[in-house]
Amino acid sequence: MAMESAQATPRPMRADARRNYERLLAEARTAFTAHGTDASLEDIARRAGVGIGTLYRHFPNRTALMSAVFQGEVDGLLRRSRELLASPEPCRALVDWLRTIVAHASTYRGLSRALMAAQSDEASAMSRCSLPMREAGSRLLGRAQQAGAVRADVDIADLMQLTNAISLAVEQSPDDPELADRLLMLTLTGLKAGPTRSGRA
């Protein structure tokens, strides 16, 4: 058993491999921000000062690289969700978190589409980002439902897909800065328990 545990523990990267990994992440983050997640992997490797083979040794496919880049964003989103759990207004907290997801996803064109696909493919590298966010959202949704502010039949998986769809719509309409809020408010209208109420969350 001890031998199996030792074999299952990944060896730490050598210093040069770690430097290559960090450079690739930094260049991928820059490229994805400027050109979207379809940016050339060859260009990313070249700008990082390594060959494409080195990139693929660290990230076997584009989705794995996207997951690694977005992981830092996920950490921030999870921290924000924990902060919002203390909010005295559970429904506002839920919508504030969904608004934050839309803002983060729009940083990288193509990310929202990848997150939507990951919802139905838990084997995808992007599920490392999608699953923790779904769990965090489930806690915020549960508080809003317990408070009677959100319908009991609302499911977190559906809500995350709606949020990713809003992110995709925002990505494709860069000249409409109010679109995200309008779509989130329409979503909230459908989520609310009891008679529809007017006004912002």
Side-chain angles (χ1 to χ4, degrees):
M1 293 292 291
M3 182 176 295
E4 290 178 3
S5 297
Q7 290 174 344
T9 303
R11 289 184 299 178
M13 289 187 197
R14 299 193 319 265
D16 58 338
R18 169 57 63 180
R19 284 193 296 272
N20 288 340
Y21 179 90
E22 296 296 344
R23 281 200 298 265
L24 284 164
L25 270 186
E27 291 299 338
R29 188 173 292 110
T30 299
F32 289 167
T33 301
H35 307 295
T37 56
D38 289 334
S40 166
L41 298 186
E42 287 80 5
D43 283 350
I44 290 171
R46 178 175 53 79
R47 291 178 181 278
V50 301
I52 190 64
T54 298
L55 184 150
Y56 282 123
R57 277 196 295 276
H58 287 291
F59 309 102
N61 52 51
R62 181 181 298 274
T63 303
L65 179 57
M66 289 167 58
S67 175
V69 168
F70 192 54
Q71 189 60 53
E73 307 285 341
V74 170
D75 293 342
L77 288 167
L78 296 180
R79 282 194 301 274
R80 181 61 179 150
S81 74
R82 290 191 292 271
E83 293 168 359
L84 288 168
L85 283 172
S87 170
E89 299 180 66
C91 188
R92 180 189 292 272
L94 176 63
V95 175
D96 282 352
W97 192 65
L98 298 179
R99 187 178 286 116
T100 304
I101 291 175
V102 172
H104 280 254
S106 63
T107 303
Y108 308 110
R109 190 174 67 254
L111 178 60
S112 51
R113 187 178 292 106
L115 288 170
M116 290 178 76
Q119 290 281 102
S120 57
D121 182 10
E122 293 190 3
S124 165
M126 285 301 293
S127 68
R128 289 177 49 201
C129 299
S130 179
L131 291 176
M133 286 170 53
R134 192 187 309 177
E135 292 168 2
S138 184
R139 288 189 286 272
L140 289 167
L141 173 60
R143 285 187 75 231
Q145 289 171 323
Q146 289 168 10
V150 172
R151 288 167 25 200
D153 62 342
V154 175
D155 177 80
I156 188 58
D158 290 343
L159 185 54
M160 293 301 292
Q161 285 289 57
L162 274 172
T163 304
N164 288 327
I166 290 172
S167 300
L168 184 58
V170 170
E171 172 188 306
Q172 295 178 345
S173 304
D175 297 328
D176 188 353
E178 302 300 322
L179 180 61
D181 267 1
R182 292 202 310 275
L183 294 178
L184 283 169
M185 290 306 106
L186 283 173
T187 299
L188 177 60
T189 299
L191 295 180
K192 283 186 174 179
T196 299
R197 295 187 293 273
S198 61
R200 298 175 67 85

